[in-house]
Amino acid sequence: MAVSVLYGNGVSWTVVPPYDPSCYLCPGNKRAAGEVNPDYVNTFVFVNDYSAVKEEQANYEPPDRDGITFASSHNLTLADLPPRDIIPIINTWTDLYTAHLSPSSPLAKTASATALPPSSHNTGATHPRTQYRYMQIFENKGAAMGCSNPHPHGQIWTTSSLPEEPAIELEQLKSYHRERGGCHMLKDYAQLESDQQERTIFENAAFIAICPWWATWPFETMIVSRQHRRALTDFSAEEVSLLAEIMAEVTTRYDNLFETQFPYSMGVHQAPLEGSEEEIECSHFHIHFYPPLLRSATVRKFLVGYEMMAEPQRDITPEQAAERLRGCGGALYRKSTAGRQ
């Protein structure tokens, strides 16, 4: 049961218990399909019980849809997790991605042999019956983004074709690579933003978080690998730690901005599971965050009217958004506020 709490300084949020007996993702609980979850600690991979698309359709090849919990506690989000607890999430993503790689992919030659975590009962995903083309890893956080269960979790959809957004990006990455003598667009862009420091939110030795100049959403953010890394399989253990750090930084700053559980849709873009050598080589790992909030915890942006029929409009500039997010670092607001009560 969730309880709304109002503190004396006007800060409020909904307190969620660490365990909910009615939650189908908590350890030991029964899921919608009747299976019982194991007593997992960090991540748990499961078959999506609530498919967004009905599979029994003529001339339709459904994607493979899995879910992944981020923690066993019902009341945590990525913003609540220290980087060391985000590392198992990234490692599980990597395991799933590696398990689905085409044997003919250049990435398969360098990726470590893997299997799904022992806590997962979804063993069928380790050896897919069909070679998929693309894996989309994503998280919808908050009811505003259609998430009905607050238990921290994301989804992994693997498809037989290359989805529209990654396909458009990949075409531009390939064109840049050909036209610039083998240079990589997002590596060059990461360096440009790091040099200018106008739209940078946070950076470390391996990654940079920016509000891109083309952003549609007010506080849209992108995490980009500073070096050319095609996919999760290219990262060293140190780079995984630095990715966990910057993910914690972005999500904490989001929550601190309006002192609320900041909703967003987050998605990983990386090399296809199966593709030509050019497609794999030109791919560049990055993560998109699309958050809807505009002026406060209750005022959001809507893409309607002119923005739907003509083109999106900026409510604040990317430079203004980055400046505000830069100023929201430090301890997570609900931890520091609760400690002062």
Side-chain angles (χ1 to χ4, degrees), residues 39-339:
D39 291 323
Y40 65 91
V41 177
N42 297 117
T43 62
F44 165 55
V45 180
F46 58 93
V47 176
N48 194 331
D49 294 321
Y50 296 98
S51 175
V53 181
K54 186 177 180 180
E55 297 188 7
E56 294 79 14
Q57 300 183 52
N59 301 318
Y60 172 68
E61 185 175 354
D64 184 36
R65 290 177 288 268
D66 293 312
I68 170 178
T69 61
F70 295 159
S72 58
S73 295
H74 185 73
N75 62 343
L76 300 179
T77 68
L78 287 179
D80 295 289
L81 299 178
R84 67 176 180 273
D85 290 339
I86 297 178
I87 290 174
I89 301 170
I90 299 170
N91 287 339
T92 303
W93 286 347
T94 306
D95 286 346
L96 284 162
Y97 179 83
T98 305
H100 285 75
L101 270 176
S102 168
S104 64
S105 170
L107 290 167
K109 298 178 177 62
T110 57
S112 300
T114 187
L116 292 182
S119 61
S120 171
H121 64 274
N122 184 18
T123 55
T126 306
H127 303 287
R129 291 169 294 179
T130 302
Q131 179 55 59
Y132 291 103
R133 176 91 157 101
Y134 192 77
M135 174 176 286
Q136 182 59 64
I137 299 168
F138 64 97
E139 177 199 9
N140 295 323
K141 179 190 175 187
M145 307 310 291
C147 183
S148 59
N149 189 336
H151 195 110
H153 70 286
Q155 297 184 54
I156 304 100
W157 287 29
T158 46
T159 56
S160 58
S161 60
L162 191 60
E164 182 176 322
E165 290 298 321
I168 292 173
E169 288 185 353
L170 187 51
E171 282 304 311
Q172 296 304 314
L173 294 173
K174 287 161 55 181
S175 295
Y176 188 93
H177 187 261
R178 288 193 297 262
E179 295 167 4
R180 302 297 179 95
C183 293
H184 295 284
M185 179 194 291
L186 288 183
K187 179 183 177 182
D188 290 350
Y189 180 58
Q191 186 61 55
L192 174 67
E193 292 289 9
S194 182
D195 291 342
Q196 294 183 346
Q197 290 292 306
E198 294 178 341
R199 292 173 289 269
T200 300
I201 301 166
F202 180 84
E203 59 185 320
N204 56 33
F207 298 92
I208 183 170
I210 56 178
C211 291
W213 60 265
W214 63 83
T216 296
W217 298 98
F219 295 97
E220 182 176 329
T221 298
M222 186 166 70
I223 295 174
V224 185
S225 173
R226 298 169 71 99
Q227 299 302 316
H228 179 54
R229 299 291 184 263
R230 301 162 295 177
L232 287 160
T233 51
D234 282 342
F235 294 138
S236 66
E238 176 63 20
E239 287 172 321
V240 169
S241 296
L242 292 172
L243 178 56
E245 177 191 42
I246 202 166
M247 288 175 62
E249 284 285 343
V250 169
T251 53
T252 296
R253 289 164 194 265
Y254 271 163
D255 279 18
N256 286 348
L257 179 62
F258 296 133
E259 296 191 332
T260 191
Q261 294 269 11
F262 205 87
Y264 58 74
S265 280
M266 173 269 286
V268 173
H269 283 177
Q270 57 186 326
L273 298 169
E274 184 176 54
S276 67
E277 289 193 11
E278 182 186 28
E279 287 179 329
I280 304 303
E281 175 59 23
C282 293
S283 296
H284 192 107
F285 180 93
H286 59 286
I287 301 177
H288 292 284
F289 285 84
Y290 297 148
L293 296 187
L294 174 57
R295 296 188 183 92
S296 70
T298 57
V299 178
R300 61 170 294 172
K301 177 184 179 67
F302 292 94
L303 285 174
V304 296
Y306 181 87
E307 294 185 84
M308 181 180 289
M309 304 299 172
E311 63 181 5
Q313 300 293 293
R314 287 289 312 187
D315 298 278
I316 60 174
T317 67
E319 292 79 10
Q320 291 170 331
E323 182 179 13
R324 294 186 64 181
L325 289 171
R326 280 197 300 270
C328 293
L332 186 64
Y333 79 93
R334 50 184 171 270
K335 293 181 179 179
S336 58
T337 301

